[in-house]
Structures are given as structure tokens and as C-alpha cells.
Amino acid sequence: MTGQALYAVLGCALFCLAFHALVVAAHPLRRLLAVNVMGSSVFLVLVAGAAPGDPLPQALVITGIVVAVAATALGLNLLLRLAVPADDDPADGQGGS
């Protein structure tokens, strides 16, 4: 088995494991982590399937990593807003003292 085929098989297996975790996990943070692992496995398969010396898949993966980091930050922000009760939100402008 060549190196590219090994990376492609590993990426597919990682995607399947992360999808299983996404379906089974009940905690939102675990689900967010599963989505991140799924995205990383897609990047791995994309790089494994690229022709040697082709810069386009590398550029797509770098762009995808940037978008994944931004989406993760948004997801973590939403999870924090879910975790903090509405009456304890200090940003609402109605100070408690």
C-alpha cells in the first residue's frame, strides 16, 4: 500500500469514527470536537488524493483550516452562551449591584 493510499484510508476511518461520535455524543462540546475531527479527516483525504507538486489542494486545505478555526470559535462562543444562564449575563447592561 502506498503512502497516499494509507493516508486516504486513515482519513476515511477517522471520518467514520468522528461521525459515530457526532451521532452518539450528547454533550455539545464533544459534538463540536467530532465535527472538527471530521473536517481534519477531509483535509487529510484531500491532501492524500492530490497529485505531487499540485499547489491547488494545498491552498484549499489551508483555506479550509482557517475557516474551520473560525467556525470552531463561533461554536465555542455559542456553547458558552448556552452554558451561562440568561440572568447572569454581564453583557446585558443591567448590572447586578
Side-chain angles (χ1 to χ4, degrees), residues 1-15 41 44-49:
M1 183 178 280
T2 65
Q4 288 181 330
L6 180 65
Y7 284 138
V9 169
L10 272 167
C12 291
L14 195 60
F15 185 87
S41 66
L44 183 63
V45 170
L46 185 61
V47 169

Side-chain angles (χ1 to χ4, degrees), residues 36-62:
N36 283 332
V37 171
M38 286 172 62
S40 298
S41 66
V42 169
F43 299 150
L44 183 63
V45 170
L46 185 61
V47 169
D54 188 13
L56 181 63
Q58 295 173 3
L60 289 174
V61 167
I62 290 173

